[in-house]
Structures are given as C-alpha cells and as structure tokens.
Amino acid sequence: MAQSLYLLDGMALVYRAHFAFMRTPIMTSSGVNTSALYGFTNALVELVKNRKPTHLALVFDTSAPTQRHVEFPAYKAQRESMPEDLSAMLPHVRRMAEAFNVPVIAMDGYEADDVIGTLARRAENTGDFTTFMVTPDKDFGQLVDEKTFIYKPGPAGDAEILGVKEVCERWEITNVLQVIDILGLWGDAVDNIPGIPGFGEKTAKALIGKYGSIENLIAHADELKGKQQEKVREFGDQALLSKRLATIDLAVPVTLSLDELKCHPMDEEKVRALMVEFEFNSLGKRLFGPDFSAGRSAATRSTQSAKPAAAPAAEDDLLAGLRPPGSDAPDSPAPAPVQGTPHATIKDTPHTYRIAATAEERADLIAQLQAQPRFCFDTETSSLDEKLASLVGLAFSWEAHTGWYVPIPPASAGLAVLQEFAPLLTNPAIEKVGHNLKFDLNVLAWNGIEAAGPFFDTMLAHALLEPDQRHGMDFLSEVYLNYTPVPISALIGSKKDEGGQLSMLDVAAESPETIAEYAAEDADITWQLAAVLRPLLEEKGLHRVFFDIESPLLPVLAAVERAGFLVDVKVLLHLSQDLAKLLRTLETDIQALAGGPFNLNSPKQLGEVLFNRLKLSDKPKKTKTGQYQTNEETLQTLAGSHPIIEKILDYRESAKLKSTYVDSLPHDISPRTGRVHTSFMQVVTATGRLASSDPNLQNIPIRTPMGREVRRAFIAPEGLELLCADYSQVELRVMAALSGDPGMRKAFAEGLDIHAATASSVYGVPLDLLLPEMRRAAKMVNFGIIYGISAFGLAQRLAIPREEARTIIEGYFTQYPGVKRYMDDTIASARKTGFVETLTGRRRFLRDINSANATVRGAAERVAINTPIQGTAADLIKIAMTRIADALKKDGLKTRMVLQVHDELVFEVPPAEKEAAQALVTHHMQNALPLDGVPVVVDCGFGKTWLDAH
C-alpha cells in the first residue's frame, strides 16, 4: 500500500512565518507576537487536512556543533541571533506539534537537513513511500528523485511541489546532485559557506552546466580565461570545502523507525486549548466548527448593514492570505482579556433592551437622555454608503446591560421621527459616545442633523492605546468585556448564501425585535467599552491627544467627506487619451531599445530582456519563484545603466496614473452630489497621519508633469475659487525644533532655502556657486535622515558611490550636530521607556527597540527617530483643521474645506472672502502648535483648478 511521509523542516518554517509577517506581526490581545506559531500551525493544518499524510514528523536543529563546525569553525558564524519573539515561540511550536500528535525529532551533532535526508532515503529504500520534504530551503533540491519531493507551503494554503524536472529547470542542471556543486561555487551567505569570491549564481550555474562538477571544473581550469581561471586556481580547495559543507548527510543514526512516524488523530482537548491560548479563532473554527471562540470574533460589522470597520482583522484576514497595509510597527501590549472561555453572549447575559416605537415612548426616551451627561448612540442603515443609505433605526444606551432601539420609518415619516431627536443630538452639553462615530455623524448629516460634540469614539480611543491591533467593536468586546456580540451575519446572512445577503430594511420589516436587540446590544457594548478605555487614556498619558486632537477632528473630517470635490470629467477624458498615446510611444521605444518585441507587462519577459539579453547586472536578484526581480526598487538601482530603464519607469508610472486615477475617478463620482467623496481614516497609521481611501486622493503623483495634470481635473464650482494652503518643509522644521540644532534653526529663522544651506555647508561651497546636483543630494539627506537613510540607500538614490554617500552624511552631521544628538538621545530614551512621543504626547511603543537582532532593532530605531517628527507634523495639521473649521463657522464665512493631503489643505472660497479666508487659514495653520522658535511657513495660492491653486 502506497504511503506518504511528510518531513517538516521546523526551523526553516518558523523563520519563514515570523519574517513573512515582520511589518504587521500577528499579535494576541495581550501583545504576544505569535507570527511564527501561527504560520507553522496554519501550514500544519493545511497539510493534514488537504494532503492527508500517512506518516509525519517535525525536525529541528539543536544548538550543538556539527561536523561542519569541526571542519569549518566559521560555519554559520555570521548568522544574526534569533529574534526574541521567535525564540519565545519555539517551545509552543513543539507544544502544538505534540498536540497534533506529530513526532518531534532533534539530534545533537546533526542538522535538521541531515535528519530529513536520512529519513527520506530510508523511506525510499522501503519502496512503499513517497516522501515530501516540507521546507522553503533550496538546499534540499539535491535530495529530490522519483520518490522524494520538496513541498513548499504557500501563504494562502497553496503549495509548490518540486520534483526532479522542476529542480533541474530551476538550477539549469541535468542532475539534482549538481545543486551541491553550484552551492560550492556560489556559496551561501546565510550559512557562511564561502564558495569562490565573486562567483554568483549565474556564474556558478554556467560553469557547472559546462563542466558538470567542481572537481571537473578544477581539472579544466586552464580552459578558463582571466579572473575566472585565477579564482578557480586560488580558491579551488575552498570550493571543495564549500561543497562538503553544502552536502546533506544521509547516514544520521536516527533511532526512530518509520512506523513510529505514523499519523494519529490530534488530541482535540490540547489543540483546542492552544487555539484559545493564542487566539487563533479562524484556525479553531476550521478545526472545531463555527461555534468555536478563541477571543477573536471572525464576524466583523463591516457588511452591508453596519458601519465599515476602519482596520481589518489580523488572524482572520491572514488566513485568507491577506495582510492589512501598514500600521508601521508593533505597539505596546493591550490589557489582558478578561479570562474565561467561552465568552458570554446575549443568550446568557441578563439585559434590558426596549423599543421606542410610539411618539410617547420616544418622548420618554428623549427626556431620559436629556438628563444624562453622556450617552451612547448608534445608527442602523441599509448601506455603507452614507450618502445613499436609508436610516433604519437609532440605538441608545447610558447604563451597562440596558439599551433602547428607535425604529425609523421610511421616507418623510422617518425624517419626522429623526427630527424629534435633533435637539438631543445637537446639544453641546451632552457627550456622545459611539464606535466609528464619523460614519454615524455623516448618516445623520445626510438626513439633516449635524450632531454636536463632545464625542468619545471607542474605536479612536483604542487606536491610540493599541495602534497595532485591530479596532472592531466585536474584537474589543471580547478582549475587554469577555463578551461576544451577535454577529451581523445572524441577521442578514452571508454573501455566500443562496440569494445573497438581506438588507437591514428587510430585517426591520420581517423581525423588528431581532434588529432592536442587535442594535441595542451594539450601543450597550460600546457604552461599556468607553467606561474601560477612558481611564486607560489617562493612565497612558494619551488623554490630551484624544480629547484635544482626535475627538474634535471627527466632525471636521465628516464635513470634509460630505463636501467632496468637483471633478471635470472632460479633462480626465483628454488626459486618458494623451496617456494612451504616450504609453504606445514608450512601448515602441522600449522594445526598440530591447532589440525586439516582448510583453512589457510580463515581469518574467522583462527580466529576461534586462538580465539575459541586455545583461544589465552581474548578479540580478530573483523572486522566490526563480524569476528575475523587476520591481521599482530594482529598476531604480539600475538607473543610468541603460536608457531602457528610464523608459520603463516612465511607462509604469504613466500606466498606473491612467488606470488608478484618470480612468477610475469618473466612476467615483457620487450620483447624489456629482462630486468625488474620499474617506479619511484616523486609525490606520501609528504615527497619526490621516489616510485617504475610496478613492485615495493623497497619492496622486505631483512630481511628474502628467501626474500634476490630474490635479487640473479637480475644479472649483462656478462662482468659487480654490485656495490651497501648504506647510513648507514642515517635517524638517519639526526636526529643527525637536533637535534644537542651532544651524538648522538659524537657516529657517533667516528664511534660507534649507536644502541649499545644507549643501553649502556640507560641500563647503558658497550659495551662489552651488551645483544643482549638490542641492539635490542635500535635499535627499535632509529628508532621508528623518527616515533613517543609510549610506547604501543614499548611494542608490543618487547613483553615486557608497563612500561618497557616507562622506555626505558625515558632513551633514558635522554641520548639524544637534540632529545626530537628537537621534542618539531619542533611541536611548526609547530603550529605557519603551516608547517615543510627539510634542503633543502621542505615544508609540516600540517592542523591538532592545532586540538582540540587529536588523529588527535597527528597524525599531528608525521608527523611533521618525515617529516624533512625522507624528508631530500630523498633529499640527489636525489641530489646524479643527481650529479653521471652528473659525469659519464663528465668522460666518461660506468658505469650506474640501480636502486634506498630508501637509496641504484645500478650500472652496467665494471671491468676496478670498482675503479673509487666506488670512484665517494661514493664521491657524501657523499657530496650531508652536515649534519652539522655529517659524512655521504656509504657502497659499488661488485658482480655478487644484493645479493652478497649488
């Protein structure tokens, strides 16, 4: 009977999982990084469920030296120490394997590769097994044969299986054993196998392809020419040593028999307990059914009839192969969740939820609410588009486990009911509590009511406390209240259901009691969460940022979203035609430079053109699938090496501009208003910067002529003009304020061109004799320092030697010693306290600032330097936006804010208000947050289009 043996390369798998989620690690609610454990467990579950192995084992390295260390003491000597988060997970990986009844093998004196190779050959010799080596490690290619394969797990449950054919094609060889010869010549930087200096992958493959082995290559060294002959003669013995180091030992004295590796059912109790302990909710549901709960609810209230979630789920999204962009870096741990599994639910929690359906019942409810210093409210709608959504109901709560629901009838009758609550919702003496309140504020405003603050948004509060976690109400409820709310799917079903999802209007018509209980529970849970989060803001020193910056900004952002921006479709149409012509011209030029036609949109074909045909690099990088890398970063490193590179970059930028903006923006115009309405998110970035989406208007390129032309399509309505107010070099001014550097402060105080002033000092050249490339280099350093640019990075961006880049950076720090002192002091402080903060007190916790791993620690140090600068600049414009909105309203001006893009604000202004509006906007932008003597400069401009006004 045919049997299948799967041998898991434990260390390679957990390393791969840990670093795959490096930018946005998978965290438990108590702040534990479980990326390695999650990745391993996900791969194991996929393997067991989909491949159904008959035999299985997990193999680990040990810390004991091997024969390779005896023969070559420097073997693996350059490896970074294991990240603490990863090493902390290794015992739990073993626990997980044991819970699944998977044997764990580790033998002192031998590497996992050797154990796996020995077991694979032993299984092959029986004649009954097909063996799969589960690993991403390329070295295992030497072991592949007709009965032994490499099995590389994929990020979303998919896997790549490599046999003899695939290995030979990938390595360009005729015998898999030649993998060892290629490694012997090429070496392995990870394991510190030296190889022959200067011989990269391409050279190694070519030589082994011709000579078959290292031994034969050495025997025919006289046939080689120039440097190759010299190096083979000089380093031939080193290549043979490297070959021995890369050869997997197939004679390890493994005492376990193959019968002892037979698969057995998992220990359900142990696996369930581990899923709960590490909050692997979706994995638990996959194994134990939809009722499983591990402290992370898979349900999110981001569907048709509920408010959109501002931050995606972590584990649940990852399970589908997704990962949310960008919350920068991990943050401080959240308070431990209330213990107890399973969580409480509405079925076993006493509660009092009422419906106020009649005029008398609503009047009684309003009277009770008017007597409260604060209350929670929530809207139920038919859609996530606030402009088009029908209001289905309102929910209120001001005491735990109690709530009210007010049905809102359709059409004019509903508007009349809603107006009964207008005096309550617009009362500035009562604080309004909610979750993702901007959605509710916009729903009310589109129905004629502009609710007044103060506001307490639990989503914003949690985003300040725990920027790296998700902020959905269901998740927070389980973490802080040990309570799982009713999922929205219980009301409207799933998109996968036959007939699709229902609308909340359908639910309201068919079962008003059901929607009432769901909505009232929302308000009740949000009220309880506010009570938990409020003192935590004080405790962590974040109350000023929350109450003085983020909360007052809520209605301002809501108003900007409602205002929208008028777009001239005709301009976009003409620009689309121009871009189409440009793309055709660029494509013709590129193919001429390439020496023949190819598919420019195929990374594989482009790579072959650049590196096989044009040979633009001696050591081109490759992707995990073996293709040449052709991403923008790679192309930028080749800038100047061939005219084709600049053409390709232009082609890509033009194609992206056409598809992402020019051709898409007309579809984003609202049928209700005839305008484009972006959405602003306050909780996406840990630095506090606002993000724009649906559509993203903050990423329209402005450095190229075509990119700037997109702004010409954004226009003022008839009879109005656009005012653009832009902070000048605000992050550098913040740097000057934080660092206290006298040279930088003086340059700003005297109104000098900071980049020219920097270049003059660094190069020792008077301002009037500066060359353009000197100012360009200084500008790159000025901004690059904020983001921790290295000599290597500067050299790449300026296309100069690394030593020259290092000299420029050293000259910069000589000119501005206060900046270097600020950087060093900031890192030192972060190591002591575990966080950095902005001038306003916005904190960012840095879990890896004391990591023993230099790469991990370096990333945290760069975040430590950048966050106070970028975060202070973000707070500066947020404060300005709120004060400008208040001042416009107070002065009775009709000028209104229609967009925020990083350091820029855009307004629609009646001609009669131009002078007053510019003075008001400039004043509040300049004085929003004093920068300790460093002048804040605001550049203003008017025009009929966004481009003209900028």
Side-chain angles (χ1 to χ4, degrees):
M1 176 180 172
Q3 301 178 90
S4 58
L5 169 64
Y6 285 78
L7 300 168
L8 280 66
D9 184 359
M11 199 62 73
L13 291 174
V14 296
Y15 255 94
R16 178 177 178 270
H18 180 82
F19 285 100
F21 305 126
M22 195 68 190
R23 287 183 60 81
T24 46
I26 308 170
M27 311 292 290
T28 67
S29 56
S30 56
V32 176
N33 184 346
T34 60
S35 299
L37 179 61
Y38 172 79
F40 166 78
T41 308
N42 188 39
L44 180 59
V45 170
E46 289 291 340
L47 197 66
V48 171
K49 290 180 73 70
N50 296 336
R51 303 294 297 182
K52 297 180 172 53
T54 62
H55 294 67
L56 187 63
L58 172 64
V59 187
F60 273 106
D61 297 321
T62 73
S63 58
T66 68
Q67 180 59 34
R68 295 180 180 89
H69 294 91
V70 174
E71 187 170 4
F72 185 58
Y75 180 65
K76 293 190 176 181
Q78 293 181 348
R79 278 196 172 184
E80 289 275 9
S81 58
M82 187 182 299
E84 292 92 332
D85 285 349
L86 174 53
S87 61
M89 281 296 107
L90 292 183
H92 303 302
V93 169
R94 291 173 177 264
R95 289 173 62 203
M96 188 68 74
E98 290 163 1
F100 275 90
N101 280 318
V102 176
V104 180
I105 306 173
M107 297 184 63
D108 283 346
Y110 299 95
E111 295 185 48
D113 305 33
D114 304 320
V115 175
I116 289 174
T118 298
L119 289 171
R121 284 295 175 263
R122 187 181 296 177
E124 181 182 2
N125 291 335
T126 69
D128 296 329
F129 283 90
T130 300
T131 300
F132 296 90
M133 302 172 292
V134 184
T135 178
D137 192 339
K138 63 182 183 297
D139 298 14
F140 281 89
Q142 63 187 274
L143 300 179
V144 168
D145 58 26
E146 287 70 18
K147 301 285 287 185
T148 305
F149 300 85
I150 293 175
Y151 182 96
K152 295 177 66 175
D158 53 336
E160 184 180 10
I161 297 177
L162 306 178
V164 173
K165 177 177 179 290
E166 290 78 14
V167 170
C168 287
E169 287 179 352
R170 181 161 298 183
W171 290 85
E172 301 171 18
I173 52 180
T174 58
N175 186 325
V176 296
L177 291 176
Q178 291 173 319
V179 167
I180 314 171
D181 292 282
I182 291 175
L183 291 172
L185 291 180
W186 181 12
D188 188 333
V190 175
D191 289 343
N192 202 32
I193 296 176
I196 292 183
F199 277 25
E201 179 183 5
K202 184 178 178 181
T203 301
K205 286 180 176 178
L207 291 174
I208 298 303
K210 182 175 182 179
Y211 292 100
S213 69
I214 292 178
E215 291 83 355
N216 198 38
L217 171 65
I218 294 172
H220 293 83
D222 56 335
E223 298 177 8
L224 303 176
K225 296 181 180 179
K227 289 288 186 181
Q228 280 193 352
Q229 184 183 115
E230 292 178 20
K231 288 187 175 182
V232 169
R233 292 188 183 281
E234 181 179 357
F235 296 103
D237 289 342
Q238 183 170 290
L240 292 171
L241 166 65
S242 298
K243 180 175 178 177
R244 291 195 299 274
L245 295 175
T247 302
I248 294 175
D249 186 353
L250 304 180
V252 178
V254 183
T255 57
L256 282 174
S257 68
L258 293 175
D259 283 344
E260 291 176 276
L261 306 185
K262 282 184 177 179
C263 286
H264 297 284
M266 66 180 177
D267 186 324
E268 288 198 11
E269 184 177 344
K270 287 183 179 179
V271 173
R272 186 186 293 270
L274 286 168
M275 294 292 162
V276 171
E277 179 180 348
F278 293 102
E279 300 177 3
F280 293 160
N281 195 70
S282 290
L283 281 174
K285 289 182 186 296
R286 190 191 305 177
L287 291 170
F288 302 113
D291 293 333
F292 177 84
S293 177
R296 289 177 183 262
S297 173
T300 60
R301 300 182 181 223
S302 59
T303 49
Q304 172 187 6
S305 53
K307 290 181 286 186
E315 186 233 337
D316 297 330
D317 286 346
L318 282 161
L319 203 56
L322 305 175
R323 191 61 179 152
S327 62
D328 301 353
D331 205 351
S332 61
V338 182
Q339 297 302 311
T341 302
H343 298 298
T345 67
I346 199 169
K347 294 179 181 179
D348 52 36
T349 302
H351 60 278
T352 304
Y353 297 155
R354 300 184 179 92
I355 299 177
T358 68
E360 292 77 11
E361 290 167 340
R362 292 194 296 270
D364 179 56
L365 171 60
I366 291 170
Q368 293 185 65
L369 289 168
Q370 289 282 19
Q372 308 303 321
R374 60 179 59 93
F375 61 77
C376 177
F377 83 98
D378 184 38
T379 61
E380 296 299 334
T381 65
S382 62
S383 167
L384 293 181
D385 187 338
E386 306 104 314
K387 299 178 292 299
L388 303 177
S390 297
L391 187 58
V392 178
L394 294 173
F396 297 92
S397 180
W398 64 92
E399 184 179 346
H401 308 299
T402 65
W404 286 81
Y405 177 70
V406 181
I408 304 295
S412 58
L415 293 177
V417 170
L418 187 59
Q419 283 300 317
E420 296 175 17
F421 290 85
L424 174 73
L425 294 168
T426 57
N427 186 344
I430 302 175
E431 182 186 73
K432 285 80 177 177
V433 177
H435 189 86
N436 193 10
L437 268 171
K438 183 158 60 65
F439 178 87
D440 301 295
L441 298 183
N442 273 330
V443 168
L444 291 175
W446 285 111
N447 283 276
I449 296 177
E450 290 197 31
F455 299 108
F456 190 100
D457 190 325
T458 51
M459 185 177 76
L460 286 182
H462 188 256
L464 282 177
L465 291 164
E466 305 294 344
D468 192 51
Q469 293 185 4
R470 53 181 169 137
H471 314 297
M473 191 201 76
D474 290 5
F475 172 71
L476 299 188
S477 176
E478 291 181 343
V479 169
Y480 292 96
L481 306 178
N482 195 36
Y483 181 94
T484 298
V486 176
I488 184 65
S489 57
L491 276 73
I492 64 173
S494 167
K495 292 181 180 179
K496 299 179 181 179
D497 293 343
E498 187 175 345
Q501 285 179 308
L502 299 174
S503 162
M504 273 296 197
L505 289 172
D506 301 324
V507 180
E510 294 176 8
S511 180
E513 294 79 11
T514 300
I515 195 172
E517 190 162 76
Y518 170 85
E521 182 193 51
D522 264 12
D524 172 22
I525 294 302
T526 302
W527 174 260
Q528 294 183 55
L529 287 172
V532 174
L533 298 175
R534 195 182 298 267
L536 291 178
L537 292 169
E538 185 78 30
E539 181 182 313
K540 285 200 171 185
L542 293 165
H543 52 288
R544 180 190 171 194
V545 177
F546 181 78
F547 289 107
D548 293 353
I549 300 177
E550 298 295 352
S551 289
L553 186 64
L554 267 172
V556 178
L557 290 179
V560 174
E561 290 181 0
R562 292 195 303 276
F565 212 140
L566 194 60
V567 172
D568 189 333
V569 177
K570 292 180 181 179
V571 172
L572 292 174
L573 179 60
H574 290 310
L575 185 54
S576 179
Q577 294 169 346
D578 291 343
L579 283 168
K581 293 177 183 176
L582 175 61
L583 289 170
R584 287 193 294 270
T585 301
L586 286 170
E587 186 170 10
T588 300
D589 292 346
I590 290 167
Q591 292 187 346
L593 290 167
F598 70 98
N599 182 358
L600 187 52
N601 297 313
S602 166
K604 181 179 180 181
Q605 292 187 32
L606 176 61
E608 290 170 352
V609 166
L610 297 180
F611 304 116
N612 289 345
R613 190 184 301 175
L614 299 179
K615 302 186 183 305
L616 298 188
S617 174
D618 292 333
K619 296 182 179 180
K621 294 182 179 179
K622 291 191 174 182
T623 67
K624 292 180 180 179
T625 60
Q627 293 183 19
Y628 291 115
Q629 286 189 5
T630 58
N631 55 26
E632 184 175 354
E633 181 181 355
T634 300
L635 295 179
Q636 289 289 359
T637 64
L638 298 171
S641 63
H642 194 284
I644 197 172
I645 298 299
E646 185 177 353
K647 295 281 188 181
I648 293 170
L649 289 170
D650 288 345
Y651 178 89
R652 285 187 173 179
E653 182 174 1
S654 299
K656 180 179 179 181
L657 190 66
K658 185 175 186 297
S659 62
T660 304
Y661 294 104
V662 176
D663 293 342
S664 296
L665 278 170
H667 302 289
D668 293 318
I669 296 174
S670 168
R672 177 171 180 173
T673 67
R675 289 171 166 250
V676 170
H677 299 264
T678 188
S679 295
F680 291 100
M681 297 169 286
Q682 291 173 262
V683 298
V684 170
T685 64
T687 58
R689 295 188 74 169
L690 291 173
S692 164
S693 67
D694 304 322
N696 182 352
L697 299 183
Q698 294 185 334
N699 282 355
I700 297 176
I702 58 172
R703 295 180 181 177
T704 62
M706 280 294 187
R708 288 191 290 271
E709 283 300 306
V710 176
R711 289 194 170 197
R712 193 180 300 282
F714 289 81
I715 61 174
E718 190 67 32
L720 300 178
E721 289 189 44
L722 295 179
L723 163 63
C724 286
D726 195 355
Y727 280 118
S728 171
Q729 300 170 337
V730 64
E731 290 187 352
L732 293 181
R733 295 174 190 273
V734 171
M735 167 69 92
L738 291 176
S739 68
D741 185 88
M744 188 173 281
R745 283 171 173 252
K746 181 182 178 185
F748 281 123
E750 294 178 356
L752 299 180
D753 176 340
I754 187 65
H755 304 311
T758 300
S760 176
S761 299
V762 169
Y763 289 102
V765 176
L767 287 171
D768 57 347
L769 297 179
L770 279 177
L771 298 175
E773 55 266 29
M774 292 179 179
R775 184 185 183 279
R776 177 170 169 262
K779 181 178 181 179
M780 185 65 70
V781 177
N782 272 329
F783 286 111
I785 289 296
I786 297 173
Y787 295 94
I789 197 169
S790 64
F792 175 75
L794 183 63
Q796 277 194 322
R797 286 164 176 78
L798 295 177
I800 60 176
R802 192 181 306 185
E803 194 57 41
E804 183 180 343
R806 183 178 290 108
T807 300
I808 293 173
I809 291 176
E810 289 173 354
Y812 178 92
F813 285 136
T814 299
Q815 171 62 20
Y816 300 133
V819 173
K820 185 66 167 69
R821 186 167 53 250
Y822 159 78
M823 295 167 67
D824 294 340
D825 291 349
T826 299
I827 292 171
S829 174
R831 285 179 181 155
K832 289 181 181 179
T833 64
F835 65 85
V836 291
E837 61 183 355
T838 66
L839 285 177
T840 63
R842 182 188 301 275
R843 291 183 179 179
R844 184 169 183 185
F845 291 82
L846 304 168
R847 299 176 60 257
D848 296 320
I849 193 65
N850 291 306
S851 173
N853 184 290
T855 301
V856 174
R857 185 178 64 253
E861 289 173 352
R862 288 190 292 274
V863 170
I865 294 167
N866 170 252
T867 293
I869 299 167
Q870 194 176 96
T872 296
D875 289 340
L876 179 69
I877 198 165
K878 284 181 173 180
I879 295 169
M881 290 173 71
T882 301
R883 292 182 181 174
I884 289 168
D886 290 344
L888 289 172
K889 186 175 182 180
K890 179 183 176 183
D891 292 354
L893 298 179
K894 295 181 180 179
T895 295
R896 65 173 179 172
M897 197 184 313
V898 295
L899 190 63
Q900 188 263 15
V901 178
H902 302 313
D903 305 325
E904 175 186 0
L905 298 177
V906 184
F907 302 83
E908 288 179 352
V909 185
E913 294 180 4
K914 287 175 64 174
E915 184 176 341
Q918 179 173 341
L920 182 151
V921 168
T922 302
H923 171 77
H924 288 292
M925 289 181 72
Q926 288 179 336
N927 296 284
L929 187 65
L931 295 183
D932 191 21
V934 177
V936 177
V937 175
V938 178
D939 298 322
C940 291
F942 286 94
K944 291 295 294 182
T945 75
W946 188 9
L947 179 63
D948 295 337
H950 194 268

